[in-house]
Amino acid sequence: MFINIILDYTASIIDIILLYLYYRTFFPSHRKEIPNYLFVLSFIVAELLLTIYANFMRADYSNFKMISTILLNLIISYLLTYLYEASALARLFVALSAQTIFALSEMISAGLFPTLLSSFFPSHADIDLSLLLISKLIFFLILCVIKIFWKRRLLGSMPQYSIFLLTAPIAATITVMALPFPFENTRPLYFSLIAYIFLFLLNVVNFILLDNFLYTKELEKEKLRLNQQITFQSEKYNQLSETYRSTRRILHDTKKHYMVINKCAQEQDYETILKFLKTSLDELERSYSLINTGNLVIDAFVSNYMALAQNEGITFTTNIRIKAEQVPVENYDLCIILGNLLDNSLQETRMIVPPHERYISVEIIGKPDKMILHIINSKREFVLEDEKRTERYMMYHGYGIKNVQNITKKLLGSYSIHDEPTVYDVVVVLPNLKYIPPKRKVIIERVPNTD
């Protein structure tokens, strides 16, 4: 009886750890307002309730026990998700999937290993205990596979860590199959349980260390992305500042030009006036912004990238139909979105080797309820895998796109990409949240009475 109690509570502690690690995979951290001790206590109390109920229904072999146990596990698993910040759908998915994997682990253990274990252990009780412990390691193995899939983008460049993560639970499962679990002799049983607990804890420590390592790598990537975004924003700020200074310079010079023209007109020196006007017009032509919507970001960026593209022999076409008052977002957000999109298109088009077609098409449409940015550019049909892993490529095609997506999501807009072998097409729609649609007048026509 005492041995059964020890085994029950050992299995319960292992279940608590497995459930915590499973939730940790999907939910980065628990609610900040919940103290750590209360967080841990919630898992312990939940598993204690399940253990007490299982012991209470131990002698019951009816369908009611099976159904009630499943429902109680699901309810408690779902309630534990409220320790984390998540949507209702995410809570339900994680709770259901956790219990499904627990059941699947027991089915795999009971289906694959009894025949093999029967050659080692003559007693059914010994075999059942081994199967129970092996099922926990199978759950852990499935958890590792889920972790690898969940972090596949990060682990794609580090396959050795995926192998290391899977090796530990597989080796532990093989070792447990060789451990004796004799019910008739308590001392070897205790030694085997201690050995199993140490094996399991080694797997847990290995999992947490690798998890923390991946988290550190994610932070490093996020830091790199932020640093690159700061550099990008600084460059765009300098472009806007230069445009503003250029405009101020033109206004300042124009005032002086008018003073000279006025003096020449008073002296009737018309020949000097004509020469002066020609020089001034040439200067204005060189300084004139190609795009004039009244919005500094749109005018400066589109004009600047048009000049850069044309200087490199890239066809740059525009369809700008928007007024400054139709821009529904702050210039800071628009700078990130439009700057990144134009940067991506120019950098990609630059890589195309003539005589292949190189072009960029920019369309910005303003409507009362939204703003539409539509950019199409030609692209290379093939990109080497080594190039895709370079920081330069990730800056324009990874972090830059991620920044656009984040800002668009923050503004409750939509972002869509149509990527073909030689064409890259992106559309960003930004809603005007202040727009109030006009009320429609309902006209009811009376049908004349023909009676």
Side-chain angles (χ1 to χ4, degrees):
M1 181 65 181
F2 181 69
I3 294 175
N4 287 331
I5 293 174
I6 292 176
L7 294 175
D8 286 341
Y9 283 100
T10 300
S12 297
I13 293 170
I14 292 172
D15 285 343
I16 292 172
I17 296 172
L18 289 174
L19 195 60
Y20 163 72
L21 293 177
Y22 188 79
Y23 284 175
R24 179 185 168 125
T25 301
F26 293 97
F27 306 131
S29 60
H30 64 80
R31 291 175 181 267
K32 294 180 180 179
E33 63 270 20
I34 299 176
N36 289 332
Y37 75 91
L38 191 58
F39 175 79
V40 175
L41 187 62
S42 299
F43 275 89
I44 294 173
V45 170
E47 195 60 40
L48 187 62
L49 289 174
L50 291 172
T51 304
I52 292 172
Y53 184 77
N55 288 327
F56 179 75
M57 301 292 289
R58 187 182 294 274
D60 190 348
Y61 297 98
S62 63
N63 290 332
F64 172 77
K65 175 190 175 181
M66 181 181 69
I67 295 171
S68 60
T69 302
I70 292 173
L71 289 175
L72 185 61
N73 275 277
L74 285 174
I75 292 169
I76 289 179
S77 296
Y78 181 75
L79 291 176
L80 286 174
T81 61
Y82 280 90
L83 297 171
Y84 302 87
E85 292 284 355
S87 64
L89 186 62
R91 297 181 200 280
L92 186 61
F93 169 77
V94 172
L96 283 172
S97 59
Q99 294 307 314
T100 302
I101 295 172
F102 270 118
L104 182 63
S105 303
E106 293 179 3
M107 290 173 60
I108 294 173
S109 177
L112 295 180
F113 295 98
T115 305
L116 184 62
L117 292 174
S118 61
S119 59
F120 293 97
F121 306 124
S123 170
H124 287 291
D126 300 343
I127 294 174
D128 291 342
L129 177 58
S130 297
L131 292 176
L132 175 65
L133 299 178
I134 288 172
S135 71
K136 307 304 179 186
L137 290 172
I138 292 174
F139 182 99
F140 197 86
L141 180 60
I142 296 173
L143 175 60
C144 291
V145 173
I146 293 172
K147 187 73 175 181
I148 292 170
F149 177 78
W150 199 253
K151 301 289 184 179
R152 61 190 180 278
R153 290 187 178 180
L154 189 61
L155 286 168
S157 58
M158 301 180 293
Q160 66 273 20
Y161 291 105
S162 301
I163 296 170
F164 187 52
L165 192 62
L166 293 174
T167 301
I170 293 173
T173 303
I174 296 171
T175 305
V176 168
M177 290 172 58
L179 286 175
F181 290 101
F183 263 88
E184 66 277 0
N185 194 335
T186 56
R187 180 170 294 181
L189 174 62
Y190 290 147
F191 286 150
S192 296
L193 281 175
I194 292 170
Y196 174 85
I197 290 170
F198 271 106
L199 277 173
F200 183 79
L201 289 177
L202 283 173
N203 276 270
V204 171
V205 170
N206 172 58
F207 183 88
I208 292 176
L209 286 175
L210 283 175
D211 193 40
N212 289 336
F213 172 78
L214 293 177
Y215 180 67
T216 303
K217 285 293 182 183
E218 287 180 336
L219 289 180
E220 289 177 359
K221 282 200 168 187
E222 183 65 15
K223 180 183 176 182
L224 176 63
R225 185 186 70 82
L226 291 174
N227 287 337
Q228 290 173 331
Q229 187 60 37
I230 290 171
T231 304
F232 176 82
Q233 287 298 106
S234 298
E235 293 175 357
K236 301 309 160 194
Y237 174 77
N238 291 334
Q239 287 182 15
L240 293 176
S241 298
E242 181 59 32
T243 301
Y244 179 75
R245 286 194 295 268
S246 178
T247 303
R248 293 290 298 173
R249 179 178 57 80
I250 292 172
L251 291 174
H252 184 263
D253 292 345
T254 301
K255 182 179 178 180
K256 293 181 178 179
H257 295 163
Y258 283 153
M259 292 172 64
V260 172
I261 292 172
N262 182 54
K263 181 67 175 176
C264 291
Q266 289 176 0
E267 297 177 358
Q268 296 183 352
D269 188 359
Y270 301 118
E271 185 178 351
T272 302
I273 291 175
L274 290 174
K275 291 180 179 179
F276 188 81
L277 286 175
K278 184 179 184 306
T279 303
S280 298
L281 287 172
D282 290 341
E283 179 67 24
L284 282 174
E285 189 67 29
R286 286 193 296 270
S287 305
Y288 183 70
S289 178
L290 300 173
I291 306 297
N292 288 281
T293 64
N295 180 274
L296 185 61
V297 175
I298 295 176
D299 295 347
F301 281 8
V302 178
S303 298
N304 183 52
Y305 280 96
M306 179 185 291
L308 290 172
Q310 290 174 348
N311 288 339
E312 298 185 31
I314 299 171
T315 303
F316 194 103
T317 59
T318 62
N319 179 18
I320 313 293
R321 289 180 287 150
I322 191 171
K323 299 177 182 178
E325 59 270 18
Q326 290 179 309
V327 178
V329 299
E330 297 293 334
N331 281 344
Y332 176 83
D333 295 328
L334 183 60
C335 180
I336 293 175
I337 295 173
L338 186 59
N340 275 293
L341 293 179
L342 289 172
D343 243 10
N344 291 347
S345 61
L346 182 62
Q347 294 299 329
E348 180 58 41
T349 311
R350 277 174 171 167
M351 302 302 292
I352 300 174
V353 179
H356 296 288
E357 189 177 13
R358 305 196 301 170
Y359 64 88
I360 300 172
S361 171
V362 178
E363 186 177 24
I364 303 176
I365 308 296
K367 294 186 177 182
D369 60 333
K370 60 190 170 186
M371 172 184 179
I372 303 170
L373 292 90
H374 185 197
I375 298 179
I376 305 173
N377 63 269
S378 54
K379 60 187 282 285
R380 293 169 293 170
E381 189 169 359
F382 301 106
V383 180
L384 297 176
E385 291 298 324
D386 291 341
E387 183 183 345
K388 291 182 180 179
R389 288 191 286 269
T390 61
E391 288 188 10
R392 180 180 177 84
Y393 188 89
M394 286 302 298
M395 172 61 188
Y396 295 110
H397 298 82
Y399 305 128
I401 293 298
K402 186 66 176 176
N403 291 331
V404 175
Q405 290 173 336
N406 289 340
I407 295 296
T408 304
K409 184 179 179 180
K410 183 190 80 171
L411 298 173
L412 304 179
S414 63
Y415 176 91
S416 61
I417 296 175
H418 186 60
D419 194 359
E420 294 183 358
T422 58
V423 178
Y424 191 81
D425 187 335
V426 59
V427 179
V428 176
V429 180
L430 303 172
N432 183 0
L433 301 178
K434 297 180 181 179
Y435 174 71
I436 301 175
K439 294 181 179 180
R440 294 183 178 181
K441 293 182 179 180
V442 180
I443 301 174
I444 302 176
E445 295 183 0
R446 292 186 178 182
V447 179
N449 192 354
T450 55
D451 294 339

